[in-house]
Amino acid sequence: MRPMVSLLQTLTLSLFSHALAAACEYGWTAAPREFDGVPTTNFSSKCYRNAGWAQTLHECLEMCGTGASPTCPETLLESRFVATHALTSLYGYYWLGWHQYGGEAHCVSSNAELSAELVPVLPSTTGLDIGPEGSAPCVSTIAQQSRLATAPPGLWHAVPCHWRGTSRVDACICEKDSTPANVTAFLENIATLEAPADEFIATLRA
């Protein structure tokens, strides 16, 4: 009987693991329970999707669909996981949902909270240190570097919240969990966030 019990246990565990993955809709990737050997406690309930390319953070939000939003990694571990996930679609630069408004960090979805370990990674709002203060309140990052466990702070880059009028587009990575994204505050502030982008782009071209 032991071989049969062992077989049943294996099938049960396999089905249970499949059920965990199936908790995410088709086209979405479930966060693993561990990443780099560390439990993914703070983001294990999330689902992720590479949605394509967006020229604005607002456009990225629209591509994510109802209940989802551009990803806002809340810890360094989650940031590395998201970067690794981005590389599955050969993404280089991609939008983060984090942005700065009123001197504070905010996520497109107000459900997220920036951990203390990520505060040093949050860039200034000057954008590559060439734009006027406040001209680049949004954040983009590089997947190839951000996935590394030894990656230093500074891999999150301050960018304008839109790239209209340029050829640049950043990838859009979406996230969602059992609590639908609350994007009301972001939508109320988007015009203010995008307003300085033209000045930044003009400075970039000068």
Side-chain angles (χ1 to χ4, degrees):
M1 290 297 292
R2 285 186 179 180
M4 181 61 70
V5 171
S6 178
L7 177 61
L8 287 172
Q9 288 175 335
T10 300
L11 288 172
T12 300
L13 287 172
S14 177
L15 289 171
F16 181 66
S17 298
H18 178 73
L20 284 176
C24 293
E25 298 174 18
Y26 178 77
W28 291 78
T29 299
R33 286 186 289 178
E34 284 190 358
F35 182 69
D36 284 350
V38 180
T40 58
T41 307
N42 80 297
F43 63 98
S44 60
S45 64
K46 290 184 180 181
C47 302
Y48 300 86
R49 180 170 70 91
N50 297 344
W53 303 92
Q55 201 164 38
T56 76
L57 182 58
H58 190 193
E59 182 184 355
C60 179
L61 170 61
E62 292 177 336
M63 292 169 65
C64 288
T66 304
S69 63
T71 184
C72 284
E74 299 179 64
T75 63
L76 284 170
L77 183 68
E78 184 180 8
S79 181
R80 293 203 305 273
F81 167 74
V82 171
T84 300
H85 178 67
L87 290 171
T88 64
S89 292
L90 303 180
Y91 287 172
Y93 282 95
Y94 57 92
W95 293 102
L96 292 181
W98 291 113
H99 55 280
Q100 298 189 69
Y101 183 83
E104 296 181 354
H106 299 271
C107 177
V108 169
S109 171
S110 60
N111 301 341
E113 183 176 347
L114 190 72
S115 66
E117 65 180 355
L118 281 179
V119 171
V121 185
L122 194 70
S124 70
T125 59
T126 57
L128 307 177
D129 295 324
I130 62 172
E133 181 68 32
S135 63
C138 284
V139 182
S140 179
T141 190
I142 305 174
Q144 188 66 38
Q145 295 178 350
S146 296
R147 72 188 178 95
L148 303 175
T150 56
L155 294 179
W156 289 10
H157 304 282
V159 294
C161 296
H162 80 70
W163 290 109
R164 297 187 193 97
T166 75
S167 60
R168 175 164 171 170
V169 288
D170 286 8
C172 178
I173 300 179
C174 309
E175 68 176 37
K176 66 178 178 179
D177 58 20
S178 57
T179 304
N182 182 351
V183 299
T184 302
F186 173 75
L187 293 177
E188 290 175 348
N189 298 330
I190 186 60
T192 302
L193 289 168
E194 289 189 350
D198 291 337
E199 183 179 8
F200 174 85
I201 291 171
T203 303
L204 191 64
R205 288 172 169 166

